[in-house]
Amino acid sequence: MVNLVLVLGDQLSNGLSALAAANKQTDVVVMAEVGDEAAYVPHHPKKIAFIFAAMRKFAQRLQADGWTVAYTRLDDAENSGSITGELLRRAAEHGAAEVHATEPGEWRVIAALNDAPLTIHQHPDTRFLASHAQFEAWAEGRKELRMEWFYRDMRRQTGLMMEGDKPAGGKWNYDHDNRKAPPKIVDFAGPMQFTPDETVQEVLDLVASRFDNNFGSLDGFAFATDQGQARQQLAHWITHALPQFGDYQDAMLEGEDYLYHSLISFYINAGLLDPLEVCQRVEQAWKGGHAPINAAEGFIRQIIGWREYMRGIYFLEGADYTKRNVLNHTRDLPGLFWGKETGMNCVSQTVDQTRKTAYAHHIQRLMVTGNFALLAGIDPYQVHEWYLAVYADAYEWVEAPNVIGMSQFADGGIVGSKPYISSGNYIAKMSNYCKGCRYNVKTKVGEGACPFNLLYWDFMDRHRARFEKNPRMAQMYRTWDRMDDDKRAKIISEAGDWLARMDAGEAV
Ligand code: FAD
Ligand code: DLZ
Ligand code: SF4
């Protein structure tokens, strides 16, 4: 009996549960580059190129390892254009009875597999530390699902940076030491650059010819595209940047796209790196005295804490999560997210970097573009689709809770206890963007006022009923109330005018 084994573009892992459930001698692995997956949002060309190149190389590896692989290229004449279409076609071709799949990371694809007229076994995705049942049990009966408590359980479960049942160094969390303003000089040259080999070059030509109209540049593609290269990037980053990672985790510097960040989310999320192994390597570096505790703990928390927690929330909350909009924000996503000119240097730098690299680090995503979208009242579903499209590490299970939850507060406070909003002050403190800006961050209202300053108070005022009782926001409402009436009215009126000009397509 022949069965099929489905391997999706973000499931490029040796120990994948679908492969473990199959028989190498008799079964056929199905991998397919399909129009549906390439177009459910207008993905950045670098993201598509990365996924297709990594898929092709993973298929080659499986074949070398003795598997039979039925691989569909995007431009194959028989390509049906969808994952289920390809499964049906291959099932008929090989007379296959059933399909082994690993549960996809998106409700849309899970539903498509459930609805297909085939017997498809969706095995749990064991590349994560916490199963759905485990996360549900953790969430059960809690009033608030705070990441910190979940993270501590993950530390205990993995034993990472633990001394018996106590956290190494006596504290669970060293975040306090991870908020330094940007350094004068960044002594890390950034991620490794991998020259495209023949497989990658072929994909680049395909993507250039088919996805030329998508937002994003394909120029200078130098991502790792297989497990060996991804491991090299990890080792390179541990050697050269991990020691500084903690200190400057939240900093932003014009012209420094990467600072001390690891740039491994592309690889972990596609399956080329194993998250636990990554954390063990970082723990070893700390134990060997190569990196300070705040760097190692800060990094490990992102992976076994935030990453796992976000996935838990996505699957706990269900398929309607991306449609949540508790703040009733309805403004259309303005053109400046797609590169239209704006005088806001922080936004323009972040969007342009995104266009060039398909990457921005956490604080750029949260406190520049995300903060702006939230303050401006943009429809969170449109914001979600933008993030899903433009970042090479974006798959819905991780992107949606970060955007709908953490960044846009559209889930009403499941992920965050208060909205991540700030005036221009935060950006001025954590970056040098304001120096090159048309606006003045110190100006709160009137000529040249930083839009983040105007929009911040406008947001606070619009959402007073919801937030004024939030103890973490009460102080800001007191500050607002201390301003005289004229000033408050002027801020509201200028914010409205500024937004109207943006909506009308002016280069604000
Ligand atoms: P580093 O800063 O070096 O961090 C190390 C690793 O920790 C990352 O590789 C990632 O695996 C993990 N990590 C850190 N923060 C998070 C987080 N909040 N959620 C999940 N994992 C985390 N991350 C994605 O992987 N895909 C997304 O689509 C995505 N969308 C985001 C959207 C918004 C609005 C925000 C605020 C954050 C988003 N993140 C997303 C989280 C974070 O920005 C990226 O994981 C990180 O920037 C990736 O770059 P890096 O590998 O250099 O990370
Ligand atoms: C993101 C993506 C893209 C662009 N293309 C493909 C593809 O052609 N074939 C495929 O198997 N997977 C692709 N992916 C990844 C899927 O969209 C991803 O597996 C689902 O969204 C579930 O996370
Ligand atoms: Fe951004 Fe305001 Fe600073 Fe300009 S002044 S870079 S808009 S925070």
Side-chain angles (χ1 to χ4, degrees):
M1 189 179 70
V2 179
N3 288 326
L4 301 183
V5 189
L6 176 65
V7 177
L8 293 167
D10 55 353
Q11 297 182 339
L12 311 178
S13 310
N14 300 339
L16 196 70
S17 55
L19 288 167
N23 183 338
K24 199 192 275 188
Q25 269 65 48
T26 52
D27 294 345
V28 177
V29 175
V30 174
M31 296 181 72
E33 299 165 10
V34 291
D36 276 9
E37 293 310 304
Y40 61 87
V41 287
H43 301 282
H44 194 297
K46 279 201 169 98
K47 177 181 183 185
I48 303 176
F50 162 63
I51 292 170
F52 286 3
M55 283 173 71
R56 290 187 186 190
K57 288 188 168 187
F58 190 71
Q60 289 161 11
R61 259 190 70 147
L62 288 177
Q63 273 161 334
D65 195 30
W67 289 93
T68 304
V69 181
Y71 192 96
T72 309
R73 290 179 172 217
L74 190 71
D75 49 5
D76 284 352
E78 316 78 48
N79 192 331
S80 63
S82 72
I83 296 293
T84 47
E86 284 311 278
L87 285 174
L88 285 167
R89 190 164 75 83
R90 297 301 189 185
E93 197 175 302
H94 295 276
E98 297 184 356
V99 181
H100 291 291
T102 291
E103 182 187 73
E106 190 174 339
W107 289 111
R108 174 185 62 86
V109 188
I110 294 174
L113 295 188
N114 284 335
D115 293 346
L118 281 166
T119 303
I120 303 182
H121 304 281
Q122 294 194 45
H123 301 278
D125 193 340
T126 51
R127 299 172 301 165
F128 292 88
L129 298 172
S131 66
H132 296 334
Q134 193 181 346
F135 195 83
E136 281 159 21
W138 174 78
E140 179 73 35
R142 280 176 197 263
K143 246 171 76 193
E144 290 191 321
L145 303 182
R146 292 293 153 252
M147 193 287 293
E148 182 64 27
W149 306 112
F150 171 76
Y151 165 58
R152 291 180 189 185
D153 282 359
M154 291 296 103
R155 287 274 294 278
R156 292 187 191 100
Q157 177 179 319
T158 57
L160 285 163
M161 297 187 79
M162 293 296 289
E163 286 157 3
D165 59 354
K166 299 264 178 327
K171 278 201 302 185
W172 289 103
N173 184 317
Y174 289 81
D175 210 21
H176 226 72
D177 305 329
N178 290 356
R179 292 175 191 154
K180 284 206 179 134
K184 292 255 169 331
I185 298 167
V186 177
D187 54 4
F188 173 52
M192 287 185 76
Q193 304 289 300
F194 297 93
T195 308
D197 57 22
E198 207 183 313
T199 304
V200 179
Q201 194 52 56
E202 251 188 299
V203 168
L204 290 175
D205 294 342
L206 171 76
V207 173
S209 70
R210 297 284 290 266
F211 302 98
D212 203 28
N213 288 331
N214 289 17
F215 170 83
S217 164
L218 202 51
D219 292 349
F221 181 92
F223 285 26
T225 46
D226 58 43
Q227 294 173 2
Q229 290 180 343
R231 285 215 171 100
Q232 282 180 51
Q233 160 58 17
L234 174 65
H236 164 83
W237 172 78
I238 289 177
T239 307
H240 300 292
L242 169 64
Q244 313 271 45
F245 169 81
D247 289 355
Y248 300 116
Q249 211 176 331
D250 289 1
M252 300 175 281
L253 263 186
E254 192 168 330
E256 290 288 347
D257 298 346
Y258 310 117
L259 280 124
Y260 295 99
H261 291 274
S262 66
L263 276 95
I264 57 163
S265 52
F266 318 138
Y267 311 132
I268 303 190
N269 293 353
L272 300 181
L273 290 176
D274 174 61
L276 185 58
E277 200 182 308
V278 166
C279 292
Q280 286 163 343
R281 299 276 304 275
V282 167
E283 183 189 40
Q284 272 164 23
W286 163 70
K287 279 189 175 155
H290 174 63
I293 195 161
N294 68 314
E297 186 281 321
F299 183 83
I300 286 171
R301 174 164 21 95
Q302 305 308 315
I303 295 193
I304 68 169
W306 281 112
R307 185 173 183 273
E308 292 283 333
Y309 167 85
M310 289 302 188
R311 176 172 184 268
I313 295 286
Y314 179 74
F315 282 104
L316 186 73
E317 289 299 313
D320 76 330
Y321 187 72
T322 56
K323 298 279 168 46
R324 309 240 176 123
N325 186 3
V326 301
L327 299 179
N328 295 318
H329 283 172
T330 53
R331 172 164 278 106
D332 281 337
L333 193 79
L336 52 89
F337 276 83
W338 301 111
K340 193 174 158 39
E341 191 190 332
T342 167
M344 294 181 290
N345 195 39
C346 52
V347 174
S348 143
Q349 293 291 335
T350 303
V351 171
D352 196 48
Q353 172 188 327
T354 301
R355 184 186 65 75
K356 287 191 200 132
T357 63
Y359 175 82
H361 71 67
H362 186 75
I363 296 299
Q364 293 172 303
R365 297 187 207 196
L366 186 65
M367 298 313 291
V368 178
T369 40
N371 185 17
F372 178 75
L374 179 56
L375 294 179
I378 298 170
D379 171 9
Y381 191 79
Q382 294 185 38
V383 180
H384 146 69
E385 288 202 307
W386 183 78
Y387 278 96
L388 191 56
V390 303
Y391 291 114
D393 55 19
Y395 305 92
E396 206 174 270
W397 66 266
V398 55
E399 174 276 335
N402 269 296
V403 173
I404 296 290
M406 181 186 269
S407 166
Q408 299 302 296
F409 203 80
D411 67 0
I414 296 169
V415 169
S417 57
K418 80 182 237 320
Y420 276 95
I421 49 168
S422 79
S423 66
N425 256 345
Y426 177 87
I427 296 172
K429 194 171 102 204
M430 296 313 293
S431 79
N432 63 355
Y433 291 142
C434 300
K435 288 199 178 108
C437 187
R438 182 213 285 174
Y439 297 103
N440 188 337
V441 73
K442 298 220 168 77
T443 309
K444 308 289 180 223
V445 64
E447 185 63 29
C450 164
F452 282 82
N453 294 343
L454 297 172
L455 297 179
Y456 176 81
W457 291 119
D458 186 51
F459 175 97
M460 293 284 285
D461 192 55
R462 269 188 289 131
H463 293 297
R464 179 160 203 146
R466 179 177 290 273
F467 295 125
E468 77 177 331
K469 297 235 159 56
N470 184 321
R472 298 180 65 200
M473 297 175 79
Q475 174 62 34
M476 293 319 287
Y477 279 106
R478 280 198 288 278
T479 306
W480 178 233
D481 290 342
R482 275 200 300 273
M483 288 183 208
D484 63 52
D485 289 352
D486 281 359
K487 186 171 177 186
R488 281 204 306 251
K490 205 159 178 263
I491 289 175
I492 301 295
S493 149
E494 285 187 18
D497 290 350
W498 190 90
L499 288 170
R501 284 193 282 119
M502 178 180 80
D503 292 341
E506 262 186 56
V508 284

